[in-house]
Amino acid sequence: MKEEAARDAWQRMRALTHRPETLEGLRDAFERMGLTPGIAKALMKLSATEPTPMRNLAATMRCDNSYVTAVVDALEERGIARREAHPTDRRIKVIVLTDEGVTLWAQVQELVGTPPSSFAALSKSETAQLRDLLEKLCPEEAVPAGAYR
Amino acid sequence: MKEEAARDAWQRMRALTHRPETLEGLRDAFERMGLTPGIAKALMKLSATEPTPMRNLAATMRCDNSYVTAVVDALEERGIARREAHPTDRRIKVIVLTDEGVTLWAQVQELVGTPPSSFAALSKSETAQLRDLLEKLCPEEAVPAGAYR
DNA sequence: TATTGTTATACTCTATAACTATA
DNA sequence: TATAGTTATAGAGTATAACAATA
């Protein structure tokens, strides 16, 4: 039955992406880069090129504005980003990544984008098949910049 | 290239399982069942039939024993589980689900096992294909009872 | 002496409410 | 009056350290 296959697939997908090893490996890598999980998470939600209004980061992170204040404070202390004035609306502050921030951003994206070693179990054509199926399940526009945690 | 397809597949898989809608839908459902996220998470890690030593729950949840004490206190207050003595080792306390706990456990398993609506985009054979590929990526023994959060 | 669980305590994450500046 | 961000504060979640009972 289709329903049953879908449930099985979904559960394995969840198991794979939620594996403690995966999560802990990520956390350890962040630690080696000098990033706390909170900072790394925020960094993943930012664009490396587009200045992001604080408000937008709050929406993406699904948290309160007041928390974004604390997060951006940490980002600035760490030298990853800085606040800048919005060109037309002086109420708004935008977050801009520093050069170091851009470098770290790329490292983090690389890290979270790397599939677990069990992908070696798939042949080239199986991997392509899997990608095609997942593309149907999750079309391009639906992929957020960083889907961590 | 295989590497590239694997990265793409992995990123979509992560996007799918980490979607805010998915997570929030789950959280809301738990709330309707009168469960806090912490309680629901612990419940998912327990067996509906096997008494679980507190120590084991700590290992599964990857947290400290002292936190398990607090979690099981909450489980007991909510009438979901109770502590019982271990038959042979009197240092150990085991966690046993109550009848209500077993009912809730089944509801939670049903909930987290339900795939998102985008699975409707796959045909019956595509769904079976996906399941087979994921089975290679994540063999049976590797699937934990509850892979939430 | 080592292990299981508990207590007391403290730290991190995140939200709410009140406030300031700007629109 | 409504919106963006900040401050102060409080709550949840989780850890560390010291401890009691048992092995």
Side-chain angles (χ1 to χ4, degrees):
Chain A
M1 211 195 356
K2 185 186 164 182
E3 274 318 304
E4 217 167 292
R7 289 187 76 85
D8 188 5
W10 177 239
Q11 271 161 228
R12 285 179 204 275
M13 217 184 283
R14 283 180 57 81
L16 206 52
T17 55
H18 288 92
R19 259 204 239 291
E21 307 86 86
T22 305
L23 269 8
E24 282 162 14
L26 227 38
R27 184 177 37 64
D28 293 349
F30 290 153
E31 200 174 336
R32 281 192 297 276
M33 295 165 67
L35 303 175
T36 65
I39 300 250
K41 183 176 172 182
L43 183 52
M44 269 185 290
K45 305 290 189 181
L46 292 170
S47 158
T49 54
E50 292 262 312
T52 309
M54 308 216 8
R55 188 103 236 284
N56 293 16
L57 182 57
T60 311
M61 293 181 69
R62 309 238 169 179
C63 72
D64 192 80
N65 279 350
S66 62
Y67 182 55
V68 172
T69 294
V71 164
V72 177
D73 284 349
L75 250 16
E76 287 195 326
E77 274 159 34
R78 180 64 181 69
I80 290 173
R82 58 175 176 275
R83 289 167 168 92
E84 286 187 8
H86 188 279
T88 63
D89 188 335
R90 289 165 55 199
R91 288 174 304 184
I92 298 175
K93 293 176 191 170
V94 295
I95 311 161
V96 179
L97 292 190
T98 61
D99 288 346
E100 189 191 348
V102 172
T103 302
L104 284 171
W105 184 93
Q107 287 174 13
V108 169
Q109 296 298 331
E110 162 68 25
L111 208 58
V112 302
T114 302
S117 55
S118 63
F119 270 71
L122 300 187
S123 71
K124 185 174 169 180
S125 75
E126 284 173 328
T127 306
Q129 234 177 48
L130 179 66
R131 180 207 47 212
D132 292 345
L133 291 168
L134 283 163
E135 196 164 354
K136 287 197 178 188
L137 240 32
C138 182
E140 197 62 64
E141 319 85 60
V143 181
Y148 162 61
R149 219 205 162 205
Chain B
M1 210 195 354
K2 187 187 163 184
E3 275 316 305
E4 216 168 292
R7 289 187 76 85
D8 188 7
W10 178 239
Q11 271 161 229
R12 285 179 202 279
M13 218 184 281
R14 283 179 58 82
L16 206 52
T17 54
H18 287 97
R19 259 204 238 290
E21 308 87 86
T22 305
L23 269 8
E24 281 161 17
L26 226 39
R27 186 180 33 67
D28 292 350
F30 290 152
E31 199 173 337
R32 281 191 296 276
M33 295 164 70
L35 303 177
T36 65
I39 301 251
K41 183 178 173 182
L43 183 52
M44 269 185 290
K45 305 288 189 181
L46 292 170
S47 158
T49 54
E50 292 262 313
T52 308
M54 309 224 354
R55 187 102 236 283
N56 293 16
L57 182 55
T60 311
M61 294 181 68
R62 309 238 168 179
C63 71
D64 193 81
N65 278 351
S66 63
Y67 182 54
V68 172
T69 295
V71 164
V72 177
D73 284 350
L75 250 17
E76 287 195 327
E77 273 159 35
R78 179 66 183 69
I80 290 172
R82 59 175 176 277
R83 288 168 168 91
E84 286 186 9
H86 188 279
T88 63
D89 188 336
R90 288 164 58 198
R91 288 174 304 184
I92 298 176
K93 294 176 189 171
V94 294
I95 310 160
V96 179
L97 292 188
T98 61
D99 288 346
E100 189 192 350
V102 172
T103 302
L104 284 171
W105 184 92
Q107 287 174 12
V108 169
Q109 297 297 332
E110 162 68 25
L111 209 57
V112 303
T114 302
S117 55
S118 62
F119 270 72
L122 299 187
S123 71
K124 185 173 166 179
S125 76
E126 285 173 327
T127 305
Q129 236 176 47
L130 179 66
R131 180 208 47 212
D132 293 345
L133 291 168
L134 283 163
E135 196 164 353
K136 287 197 177 186
L137 240 33
C138 182
E140 196 63 66
E141 320 85 58
V143 181
Y148 162 60
R149 227 214 153 202

